[in-house]
Each structure stands twice: as structure tokens, then as C-alpha cells.
Amino acid sequence: MRSGTDVTENGLRRLLDAWDPIGVADEVPDEYDCMLAPLLQRLRGGAGRTEIGEFLRHELEHHFGLDPRPSDPDAMAARLVSWWTTGSVDGSA
């Protein structure tokens, strides 16, 4: 499990930017920062793929105004939970 370091936040940011469901991460590097704290809170609290997937789906639909299906929030949730549990610092898990 991870601590609350900047390394953790930066790793999560890299994962979200690589996922880039809006397609703007190259131009707007902080586009998904609104999801950092809520995701870290959930991950620290032991949330699994289902809860993380529901959060991502909700954010895509209600915050970003997107159909969540093309972005496959469940696959991203699995990647985030794996990253969290394996402790990959560089966000490549």
C-alpha cells in the first residue's frame, strides 16, 4: 500500500493521463486532477475494482459529460487497483 507522497499522486496522474478518456492530456496536463484526491481516498480505504469503476463511470458521465463505455472504466479500475496494490511508483503497473 502507498503513502500520501507526491510520487503516489504523480503516478496516479500519469495513469489517468495515459487513459485520457477526453483526449486532451497532451494539451491539458491537469485535466484529470479533479479525480486524484477522490481516487486516492478510495484506494487508501481499500476500494476494489467495482467501487473504483463506479466512480470513474460516474465522473465520465456526470462531470465530463461523456458516454463512459468507450473509455472502459472497468478496465481502468482494474489497472488502478493493480497499480495501488503492487506499489508501482512509475504508474506503469
Side-chain angles (χ1 to χ4, degrees), residues 41-75:
Q41 180 181 13
R42 284 170 173 78
L43 291 166
R44 287 184 185 122
R49 291 185 312 192
T50 300
E51 184 178 340
I52 299 297
E54 288 171 1
F55 170 77
L56 293 174
R57 196 173 300 100
H58 181 270
E59 288 299 294
L60 288 173
E61 192 169 5
H62 298 283
H63 179 78
F64 293 106
L66 300 173
D67 176 354
R69 290 173 293 183
S71 300
D72 199 357
D74 294 325

PDB file of all heavy atoms in Angstrom, residues 41-75:
ATOM      1  N   GLN A  41      -8.367   8.593  -1.954  1.00  0.00           N
ATOM      2  CA  GLN A  41      -9.159   8.314  -0.759  1.00  0.00           C
ATOM      3  C   GLN A  41      -9.789   6.928  -0.846  1.00  0.00           C
ATOM      4  O   GLN A  41      -9.768   6.150   0.109  1.00  0.00           O
ATOM      5  CB  GLN A  41     -10.232   9.377  -0.575  1.00  0.00           C
ATOM      6  CG  GLN A  41     -11.105   9.153   0.642  1.00  0.00           C
ATOM      7  CD  GLN A  41     -12.180  10.217   0.779  1.00  0.00           C
ATOM      8  OE1 GLN A  41     -12.441  10.997  -0.134  1.00  0.00           O
ATOM      9  NE2 GLN A  41     -12.809  10.256   1.934  1.00  0.00           N
ATOM     10  N   ARG A  42     -10.333   6.613  -1.989  1.00  0.00           N
ATOM     11  CA  ARG A  42     -10.962   5.299  -2.172  1.00  0.00           C
ATOM     12  C   ARG A  42      -9.924   4.176  -2.119  1.00  0.00           C
ATOM     13  O   ARG A  42     -10.148   3.141  -1.499  1.00  0.00           O
ATOM     14  CB  ARG A  42     -11.730   5.268  -3.498  1.00  0.00           C
ATOM     15  CG  ARG A  42     -13.038   6.017  -3.430  1.00  0.00           C
ATOM     16  CD  ARG A  42     -13.658   6.189  -4.820  1.00  0.00           C
ATOM     17  NE  ARG A  42     -14.988   6.771  -4.743  1.00  0.00           N
ATOM     18  CZ  ARG A  42     -15.242   8.054  -4.545  1.00  0.00           C
ATOM     19  NH1 ARG A  42     -14.237   8.928  -4.408  1.00  0.00           N
ATOM     20  NH2 ARG A  42     -16.491   8.493  -4.480  1.00  0.00           N
ATOM     21  N   LEU A  43      -8.813   4.371  -2.794  1.00  0.00           N
ATOM     22  CA  LEU A  43      -7.765   3.349  -2.796  1.00  0.00           C
ATOM     23  C   LEU A  43      -7.203   3.135  -1.392  1.00  0.00           C
ATOM     24  O   LEU A  43      -7.016   1.993  -0.961  1.00  0.00           O
ATOM     25  CB  LEU A  43      -6.660   3.725  -3.781  1.00  0.00           C
ATOM     26  CG  LEU A  43      -7.070   3.658  -5.258  1.00  0.00           C
ATOM     27  CD1 LEU A  43      -6.047   4.377  -6.121  1.00  0.00           C
ATOM     28  CD2 LEU A  43      -7.253   2.214  -5.705  1.00  0.00           C
ATOM     29  N   ARG A  44      -6.958   4.213  -0.688  1.00  0.00           N
ATOM     30  CA  ARG A  44      -6.463   4.093   0.700  1.00  0.00           C
ATOM     31  C   ARG A  44      -7.483   3.383   1.588  1.00  0.00           C
ATOM     32  O   ARG A  44      -7.111   2.710   2.537  1.00  0.00           O
ATOM     33  CB  ARG A  44      -6.151   5.469   1.272  1.00  0.00           C
ATOM     34  CG  ARG A  44      -4.905   6.089   0.713  1.00  0.00           C
ATOM     35  CD  ARG A  44      -4.578   7.419   1.387  1.00  0.00           C
ATOM     36  NE  ARG A  44      -3.450   8.017   0.726  1.00  0.00           N
ATOM     37  CZ  ARG A  44      -3.467   9.216   0.158  1.00  0.00           C
ATOM     38  NH1 ARG A  44      -4.555   9.966   0.202  1.00  0.00           N
ATOM     39  NH2 ARG A  44      -2.390   9.688  -0.431  1.00  0.00           N
ATOM     40  N   GLY A  45      -8.762   3.563   1.281  1.00  0.00           N
ATOM     41  CA  GLY A  45      -9.822   2.940   2.063  1.00  0.00           C
ATOM     42  C   GLY A  45     -10.084   1.488   1.682  1.00  0.00           C
ATOM     43  O   GLY A  45     -10.977   0.857   2.227  1.00  0.00           O
ATOM     44  N   GLY A  46      -9.325   0.975   0.716  1.00  0.00           N
ATOM     45  CA  GLY A  46      -9.460  -0.421   0.340  1.00  0.00           C
ATOM     46  C   GLY A  46     -10.467  -0.700  -0.756  1.00  0.00           C
ATOM     47  O   GLY A  46     -10.884  -1.843  -0.940  1.00  0.00           O
ATOM     48  N   ALA A  47     -10.868   0.323  -1.486  1.00  0.00           N
ATOM     49  CA  ALA A  47     -11.838   0.127  -2.566  1.00  0.00           C
ATOM     50  C   ALA A  47     -11.284  -0.842  -3.605  1.00  0.00           C
ATOM     51  O   ALA A  47     -10.096  -0.823  -3.924  1.00  0.00           O
ATOM     52  CB  ALA A  47     -12.169   1.460  -3.232  1.00  0.00           C
ATOM     53  N   GLY A  48     -12.167  -1.643  -4.123  1.00  0.00           N
ATOM     54  CA  GLY A  48     -11.802  -2.591  -5.164  1.00  0.00           C
ATOM     55  C   GLY A  48     -12.190  -2.085  -6.537  1.00  0.00           C
ATOM     56  O   GLY A  48     -12.621  -0.940  -6.705  1.00  0.00           O
ATOM     57  N   ARG A  49     -12.069  -2.980  -7.499  1.00  0.00           N
ATOM     58  CA  ARG A  49     -12.349  -2.607  -8.890  1.00  0.00           C
ATOM     59  C   ARG A  49     -13.775  -2.134  -9.097  1.00  0.00           C
ATOM     60  O   ARG A  49     -14.012  -1.203  -9.867  1.00  0.00           O
ATOM     61  CB  ARG A  49     -12.069  -3.782  -9.812  1.00  0.00           C
ATOM     62  CG  ARG A  49     -10.602  -4.098  -9.907  1.00  0.00           C
ATOM     63  CD  ARG A  49     -10.328  -5.165 -10.895  1.00  0.00           C
ATOM     64  NE  ARG A  49     -11.215  -6.301 -10.718  1.00  0.00           N
ATOM     65  CZ  ARG A  49     -11.057  -7.466 -11.291  1.00  0.00           C
ATOM     66  NH1 ARG A  49     -10.036  -7.659 -12.089  1.00  0.00           N
ATOM     67  NH2 ARG A  49     -11.904  -8.444 -11.076  1.00  0.00           N
ATOM     68  N   THR A  50     -14.725  -2.749  -8.420  1.00  0.00           N
ATOM     69  CA  THR A  50     -16.121  -2.361  -8.617  1.00  0.00           C
ATOM     70  C   THR A  50     -16.358  -0.922  -8.184  1.00  0.00           C
ATOM     71  O   THR A  50     -16.933  -0.122  -8.933  1.00  0.00           O
ATOM     72  CB  THR A  50     -17.062  -3.312  -7.854  1.00  0.00           C
ATOM     73  OG1 THR A  50     -16.863  -4.637  -8.340  1.00  0.00           O
ATOM     74  CG2 THR A  50     -18.515  -2.905  -8.021  1.00  0.00           C
ATOM     75  N   GLU A  51     -15.905  -0.579  -6.982  1.00  0.00           N
ATOM     76  CA  GLU A  51     -16.122   0.790  -6.484  1.00  0.00           C
ATOM     77  C   GLU A  51     -15.358   1.818  -7.307  1.00  0.00           C
ATOM     78  O   GLU A  51     -15.893   2.882  -7.637  1.00  0.00           O
ATOM     79  CB  GLU A  51     -15.702   0.889  -5.017  1.00  0.00           C
ATOM     80  CG  GLU A  51     -16.006   2.251  -4.422  1.00  0.00           C
ATOM     81  CD  GLU A  51     -15.642   2.380  -2.949  1.00  0.00           C
ATOM     82  OE1 GLU A  51     -15.504   1.344  -2.264  1.00  0.00           O
ATOM     83  OE2 GLU A  51     -15.499   3.523  -2.494  1.00  0.00           O
ATOM     84  N   ILE A  52     -14.124   1.506  -7.668  1.00  0.00           N
ATOM     85  CA  ILE A  52     -13.334   2.433  -8.487  1.00  0.00           C
ATOM     86  C   ILE A  52     -13.977   2.580  -9.865  1.00  0.00           C
ATOM     87  O   ILE A  52     -14.095   3.686 -10.391  1.00  0.00           O
ATOM     88  CB  ILE A  52     -11.870   1.957  -8.612  1.00  0.00           C
ATOM     89  CG1 ILE A  52     -11.192   1.895  -7.233  1.00  0.00           C
ATOM     90  CG2 ILE A  52     -11.088   2.850  -9.576  1.00  0.00           C
ATOM     91  CD1 ILE A  52     -11.065   3.214  -6.511  1.00  0.00           C
ATOM     92  N   GLY A  53     -14.430   1.480 -10.436  1.00  0.00           N
ATOM     93  CA  GLY A  53     -15.101   1.537 -11.735  1.00  0.00           C
ATOM     94  C   GLY A  53     -16.363   2.379 -11.696  1.00  0.00           C
ATOM     95  O   GLY A  53     -16.633   3.149 -12.612  1.00  0.00           O
ATOM     96  N   GLU A  54     -17.150   2.237 -10.633  1.00  0.00           N
ATOM     97  CA  GLU A  54     -18.367   3.044 -10.487  1.00  0.00           C
ATOM     98  C   GLU A  54     -18.027   4.525 -10.381  1.00  0.00           C
ATOM     99  O   GLU A  54     -18.708   5.369 -10.965  1.00  0.00           O
ATOM    100  CB  GLU A  54     -19.159   2.585  -9.266  1.00  0.00           C
ATOM    101  CG  GLU A  54     -19.822   1.241  -9.456  1.00  0.00           C
ATOM    102  CD  GLU A  54     -20.426   0.690  -8.169  1.00  0.00           C
ATOM    103  OE1 GLU A  54     -20.354   1.338  -7.113  1.00  0.00           O
ATOM    104  OE2 GLU A  54     -20.969  -0.435  -8.238  1.00  0.00           O
ATOM    105  N   PHE A  55     -16.972   4.840  -9.623  1.00  0.00           N
ATOM    106  CA  PHE A  55     -16.547   6.238  -9.507  1.00  0.00           C
ATOM    107  C   PHE A  55     -16.143   6.785 -10.874  1.00  0.00           C
ATOM    108  O   PHE A  55     -16.573   7.870 -11.278  1.00  0.00           O
ATOM    109  CB  PHE A  55     -15.391   6.383  -8.510  1.00  0.00           C
ATOM    110  CG  PHE A  55     -14.769   7.742  -8.536  1.00  0.00           C
ATOM    111  CD1 PHE A  55     -15.393   8.809  -7.917  1.00  0.00           C
ATOM    112  CD2 PHE A  55     -13.575   7.969  -9.206  1.00  0.00           C
ATOM    113  CE1 PHE A  55     -14.840  10.097  -7.959  1.00  0.00           C
ATOM    114  CE2 PHE A  55     -13.012   9.237  -9.252  1.00  0.00           C
ATOM    115  CZ  PHE A  55     -13.649  10.293  -8.624  1.00  0.00           C
ATOM    116  N   LEU A  56     -15.307   6.041 -11.601  1.00  0.00           N
ATOM    117  CA  LEU A  56     -14.853   6.505 -12.914  1.00  0.00           C
ATOM    118  C   LEU A  56     -16.022   6.671 -13.878  1.00  0.00           C
ATOM    119  O   LEU A  56     -16.103   7.664 -14.600  1.00  0.00           O
ATOM    120  CB  LEU A  56     -13.831   5.524 -13.493  1.00  0.00           C
ATOM    121  CG  LEU A  56     -12.497   5.429 -12.756  1.00  0.00           C
ATOM    122  CD1 LEU A  56     -11.648   4.312 -13.348  1.00  0.00           C
ATOM    123  CD2 LEU A  56     -11.750   6.753 -12.764  1.00  0.00           C
ATOM    124  N   ARG A  57     -16.927   5.721 -13.874  1.00  0.00           N
ATOM    125  CA  ARG A  57     -18.107   5.790 -14.740  1.00  0.00           C
ATOM    126  C   ARG A  57     -18.926   7.043 -14.424  1.00  0.00           C
ATOM    127  O   ARG A  57     -19.348   7.778 -15.323  1.00  0.00           O
ATOM    128  CB  ARG A  57     -18.951   4.528 -14.558  1.00  0.00           C
ATOM    129  CG  ARG A  57     -19.964   4.292 -15.631  1.00  0.00           C
ATOM    130  CD  ARG A  57     -20.653   2.935 -15.492  1.00  0.00           C
ATOM    131  NE  ARG A  57     -19.725   1.810 -15.549  1.00  0.00           N
ATOM    132  CZ  ARG A  57     -19.245   1.141 -14.477  1.00  0.00           C
ATOM    133  NH1 ARG A  57     -19.622   1.466 -13.264  1.00  0.00           N
ATOM    134  NH2 ARG A  57     -18.402   0.139 -14.614  1.00  0.00           N
ATOM    135  N   HIS A  58     -19.136   7.287 -13.139  1.00  0.00           N
ATOM    136  CA  HIS A  58     -19.900   8.464 -12.712  1.00  0.00           C
ATOM    137  C   HIS A  58     -19.207   9.746 -13.157  1.00  0.00           C
ATOM    138  O   HIS A  58     -19.854  10.674 -13.668  1.00  0.00           O
ATOM    139  CB  HIS A  58     -20.081   8.456 -11.190  1.00  0.00           C
ATOM    140  CG  HIS A  58     -20.864   9.619 -10.699  1.00  0.00           C
ATOM    141  ND1 HIS A  58     -20.273  10.808 -10.329  1.00  0.00           N
ATOM    142  CD2 HIS A  58     -22.202   9.793 -10.543  1.00  0.00           C
ATOM    143  CE1 HIS A  58     -21.211  11.662  -9.954  1.00  0.00           C
ATOM    144  NE2 HIS A  58     -22.386  11.076 -10.074  1.00  0.00           N
ATOM    145  N   GLU A  59     -17.902   9.835 -12.955  1.00  0.00           N
ATOM    146  CA  GLU A  59     -17.161  11.036 -13.349  1.00  0.00           C
ATOM    147  C   GLU A  59     -17.234  11.263 -14.855  1.00  0.00           C
ATOM    148  O   GLU A  59     -17.452  12.394 -15.305  1.00  0.00           O
ATOM    149  CB  GLU A  59     -15.697  10.937 -12.909  1.00  0.00           C
ATOM    150  CG  GLU A  59     -15.501  11.092 -11.416  1.00  0.00           C
ATOM    151  CD  GLU A  59     -15.967  12.443 -10.920  1.00  0.00           C
ATOM    152  OE1 GLU A  59     -15.366  13.464 -11.284  1.00  0.00           O
ATOM    153  OE2 GLU A  59     -16.958  12.473 -10.155  1.00  0.00           O
ATOM    154  N   LEU A  60     -17.043  10.207 -15.624  1.00  0.00           N
ATOM    155  CA  LEU A  60     -17.108  10.357 -17.079  1.00  0.00           C
ATOM    156  C   LEU A  60     -18.474  10.870 -17.520  1.00  0.00           C
ATOM    157  O   LEU A  60     -18.570  11.779 -18.341  1.00  0.00           O
ATOM    158  CB  LEU A  60     -16.804   9.022 -17.761  1.00  0.00           C
ATOM    159  CG  LEU A  60     -15.356   8.559 -17.699  1.00  0.00           C
ATOM    160  CD1 LEU A  60     -15.233   7.149 -18.248  1.00  0.00           C
ATOM    161  CD2 LEU A  60     -14.441   9.503 -18.445  1.00  0.00           C
ATOM    162  N   GLU A  61     -19.501  10.292 -16.940  1.00  0.00           N
ATOM    163  CA  GLU A  61     -20.860  10.635 -17.364  1.00  0.00           C
ATOM    164  C   GLU A  61     -21.326  11.982 -16.817  1.00  0.00           C
ATOM    165  O   GLU A  61     -21.841  12.818 -17.567  1.00  0.00           O
ATOM    166  CB  GLU A  61     -21.819   9.535 -16.910  1.00  0.00           C
ATOM    167  CG  GLU A  61     -23.171   9.635 -17.532  1.00  0.00           C
ATOM    168  CD  GLU A  61     -24.008   8.394 -17.278  1.00  0.00           C
ATOM    169  OE1 GLU A  61     -23.568   7.487 -16.544  1.00  0.00           O
ATOM    170  OE2 GLU A  61     -25.121   8.346 -17.809  1.00  0.00           O
ATOM    171  N   HIS A  62     -21.138  12.208 -15.537  1.00  0.00           N
ATOM    172  CA  HIS A  62     -21.720  13.390 -14.900  1.00  0.00           C
ATOM    173  C   HIS A  62     -20.788  14.599 -14.826  1.00  0.00           C
ATOM    174  O   HIS A  62     -21.265  15.725 -14.873  1.00  0.00           O
ATOM    175  CB  HIS A  62     -22.228  13.023 -13.500  1.00  0.00           C
ATOM    176  CG  HIS A  62     -23.313  12.000 -13.538  1.00  0.00           C
ATOM    177  ND1 HIS A  62     -24.608  12.304 -13.876  1.00  0.00           N
ATOM    178  CD2 HIS A  62     -23.283  10.664 -13.323  1.00  0.00           C
ATOM    179  CE1 HIS A  62     -25.341  11.202 -13.856  1.00  0.00           C
ATOM    180  NE2 HIS A  62     -24.555  10.192 -13.530  1.00  0.00           N
ATOM    181  N   HIS A  63     -19.501  14.373 -14.708  1.00  0.00           N
ATOM    182  CA  HIS A  63     -18.576  15.507 -14.629  1.00  0.00           C
ATOM    183  C   HIS A  63     -18.085  15.920 -16.022  1.00  0.00           C
ATOM    184  O   HIS A  63     -18.071  17.102 -16.352  1.00  0.00           O
ATOM    185  CB  HIS A  63     -17.379  15.163 -13.731  1.00  0.00           C
ATOM    186  CG  HIS A  63     -16.377  16.258 -13.622  1.00  0.00           C
ATOM    187  ND1 HIS A  63     -16.570  17.352 -12.809  1.00  0.00           N
ATOM    188  CD2 HIS A  63     -15.185  16.450 -14.228  1.00  0.00           C
ATOM    189  CE1 HIS A  63     -15.529  18.164 -12.918  1.00  0.00           C
ATOM    190  NE2 HIS A  63     -14.680  17.643 -13.774  1.00  0.00           N
ATOM    191  N   PHE A  64     -17.695  14.927 -16.822  1.00  0.00           N
ATOM    192  CA  PHE A  64     -17.131  15.228 -18.133  1.00  0.00           C
ATOM    193  C   PHE A  64     -18.162  15.176 -19.256  1.00  0.00           C
ATOM    194  O   PHE A  64     -17.872  15.579 -20.376  1.00  0.00           O
ATOM    195  CB  PHE A  64     -15.972  14.275 -18.442  1.00  0.00           C
ATOM    196  CG  PHE A  64     -14.780  14.480 -17.550  1.00  0.00           C
ATOM    197  CD1 PHE A  64     -14.483  13.571 -16.549  1.00  0.00           C
ATOM    198  CD2 PHE A  64     -13.956  15.581 -17.690  1.00  0.00           C
ATOM    199  CE1 PHE A  64     -13.394  13.743 -15.715  1.00  0.00           C
ATOM    200  CE2 PHE A  64     -12.859  15.780 -16.865  1.00  0.00           C
ATOM    201  CZ  PHE A  64     -12.578  14.856 -15.878  1.00  0.00           C
ATOM    202  N   GLY A  65     -19.360  14.659 -18.977  1.00  0.00           N
ATOM    203  CA  GLY A  65     -20.417  14.620 -19.972  1.00  0.00           C
ATOM    204  C   GLY A  65     -20.179  13.625 -21.105  1.00  0.00           C
ATOM    205  O   GLY A  65     -20.588  13.868 -22.233  1.00  0.00           O
ATOM    206  N   LEU A  66     -19.519  12.508 -20.794  1.00  0.00           N
ATOM    207  CA  LEU A  66     -19.198  11.511 -21.805  1.00  0.00           C
ATOM    208  C   LEU A  66     -19.972  10.218 -21.588  1.00  0.00           C
ATOM    209  O   LEU A  66     -20.354   9.896 -20.469  1.00  0.00           O
ATOM    210  CB  LEU A  66     -17.702  11.159 -21.727  1.00  0.00           C
ATOM    211  CG  LEU A  66     -16.696  12.272 -21.951  1.00  0.00           C
ATOM    212  CD1 LEU A  66     -15.300  11.766 -21.658  1.00  0.00           C
ATOM    213  CD2 LEU A  66     -16.796  12.794 -23.367  1.00  0.00           C
ATOM    214  N   ASP A  67     -20.141   9.475 -22.651  1.00  0.00           N
ATOM    215  CA  ASP A  67     -20.616   8.103 -22.540  1.00  0.00           C
ATOM    216  C   ASP A  67     -19.419   7.312 -22.018  1.00  0.00           C
ATOM    217  O   ASP A  67     -18.364   7.282 -22.665  1.00  0.00           O
ATOM    218  CB  ASP A  67     -21.037   7.596 -23.922  1.00  0.00           C
ATOM    219  CG  ASP A  67     -21.457   6.145 -23.925  1.00  0.00           C
ATOM    220  OD1 ASP A  67     -21.339   5.457 -22.890  1.00  0.00           O
ATOM    221  OD2 ASP A  67     -21.894   5.681 -24.986  1.00  0.00           O
ATOM    222  N   PRO A  68     -19.533   6.665 -20.869  1.00  0.00           N
ATOM    223  CA  PRO A  68     -18.374   6.003 -20.285  1.00  0.00           C
ATOM    224  C   PRO A  68     -17.932   4.728 -21.008  1.00  0.00           C
ATOM    225  O   PRO A  68     -16.781   4.314 -20.873  1.00  0.00           O
ATOM    226  CB  PRO A  68     -18.830   5.676 -18.863  1.00  0.00           C
ATOM    227  CG  PRO A  68     -20.301   5.710 -18.892  1.00  0.00           C
ATOM    228  CD  PRO A  68     -20.694   6.636 -19.995  1.00  0.00           C
ATOM    229  N   ARG A  69     -18.794   4.124 -21.801  1.00  0.00           N
ATOM    230  CA  ARG A  69     -18.478   2.823 -22.408  1.00  0.00           C
ATOM    231  C   ARG A  69     -17.226   2.814 -23.271  1.00  0.00           C
ATOM    232  O   ARG A  69     -16.409   1.896 -23.134  1.00  0.00           O
ATOM    233  CB  ARG A  69     -19.675   2.292 -23.182  1.00  0.00           C
ATOM    234  CG  ARG A  69     -20.812   1.879 -22.255  1.00  0.00           C
ATOM    235  CD  ARG A  69     -22.033   1.516 -23.017  1.00  0.00           C
ATOM    236  NE  ARG A  69     -22.538   2.740 -23.672  1.00  0.00           N
ATOM    237  CZ  ARG A  69     -23.618   2.809 -24.382  1.00  0.00           C
ATOM    238  NH1 ARG A  69     -24.341   1.745 -24.589  1.00  0.00           N
ATOM    239  NH2 ARG A  69     -24.012   3.950 -24.918  1.00  0.00           N
ATOM    240  N   PRO A  70     -17.015   3.766 -24.155  1.00  0.00           N
ATOM    241  CA  PRO A  70     -15.809   3.695 -24.995  1.00  0.00           C
ATOM    242  C   PRO A  70     -14.500   3.780 -24.195  1.00  0.00           C
ATOM    243  O   PRO A  70     -13.474   3.286 -24.646  1.00  0.00           O
ATOM    244  CB  PRO A  70     -15.934   4.891 -25.932  1.00  0.00           C
ATOM    245  CG  PRO A  70     -17.380   5.239 -25.923  1.00  0.00           C
ATOM    246  CD  PRO A  70     -17.886   4.859 -24.565  1.00  0.00           C
ATOM    247  N   SER A  71     -14.534   4.380 -23.032  1.00  0.00           N
ATOM    248  CA  SER A  71     -13.330   4.554 -22.226  1.00  0.00           C
ATOM    249  C   SER A  71     -13.052   3.363 -21.321  1.00  0.00           C
ATOM    250  O   SER A  71     -12.018   3.326 -20.675  1.00  0.00           O
ATOM    251  CB  SER A  71     -13.453   5.817 -21.368  1.00  0.00           C
ATOM    252  OG  SER A  71     -13.619   6.939 -22.197  1.00  0.00           O
ATOM    253  N   ASP A  72     -13.978   2.421 -21.248  1.00  0.00           N
ATOM    254  CA  ASP A  72     -13.843   1.198 -20.467  1.00  0.00           C
ATOM    255  C   ASP A  72     -13.372   1.473 -19.028  1.00  0.00           C
ATOM    256  O   ASP A  72     -12.260   1.112 -18.640  1.00  0.00           O
ATOM    257  CB  ASP A  72     -12.888   0.227 -21.166  1.00  0.00           C
ATOM    258  CG  ASP A  72     -13.052  -1.192 -20.667  1.00  0.00           C
ATOM    259  OD1 ASP A  72     -13.864  -1.439 -19.745  1.00  0.00           O
ATOM    260  OD2 ASP A  72     -12.350  -2.076 -21.202  1.00  0.00           O
ATOM    261  N   PRO A  73     -14.226   2.125 -18.230  1.00  0.00           N
ATOM    262  CA  PRO A  73     -13.845   2.448 -16.855  1.00  0.00           C
ATOM    263  C   PRO A  73     -13.537   1.217 -16.008  1.00  0.00           C
ATOM    264  O   PRO A  73     -12.726   1.296 -15.080  1.00  0.00           O
ATOM    265  CB  PRO A  73     -15.043   3.218 -16.301  1.00  0.00           C
ATOM    266  CG  PRO A  73     -16.166   2.947 -17.231  1.00  0.00           C
ATOM    267  CD  PRO A  73     -15.574   2.598 -18.548  1.00  0.00           C
ATOM    268  N   ASP A  74     -14.121   0.068 -16.328  1.00  0.00           N
ATOM    269  CA  ASP A  74     -13.833  -1.137 -15.550  1.00  0.00           C
ATOM    270  C   ASP A  74     -12.394  -1.607 -15.760  1.00  0.00           C
ATOM    271  O   ASP A  74     -11.728  -2.021 -14.820  1.00  0.00           O
ATOM    272  CB  ASP A  74     -14.825  -2.244 -15.885  1.00  0.00           C
ATOM    273  CG  ASP A  74     -16.235  -1.888 -15.445  1.00  0.00           C
ATOM    274  OD1 ASP A  74     -16.387  -1.223 -14.396  1.00  0.00           O
ATOM    275  OD2 ASP A  74     -17.185  -2.254 -16.157  1.00  0.00           O
ATOM    276  N   ALA A  75     -11.916  -1.531 -16.992  1.00  0.00           N
ATOM    277  CA  ALA A  75     -10.530  -1.896 -17.271  1.00  0.00           C
ATOM    278  C   ALA A  75      -9.576  -0.921 -16.576  1.00  0.00           C
ATOM    279  O   ALA A  75      -8.548  -1.326 -16.019  1.00  0.00           O
ATOM    280  CB  ALA A  75     -10.267  -1.927 -18.768  1.00  0.00           C
TER     281      ALA A  75
END
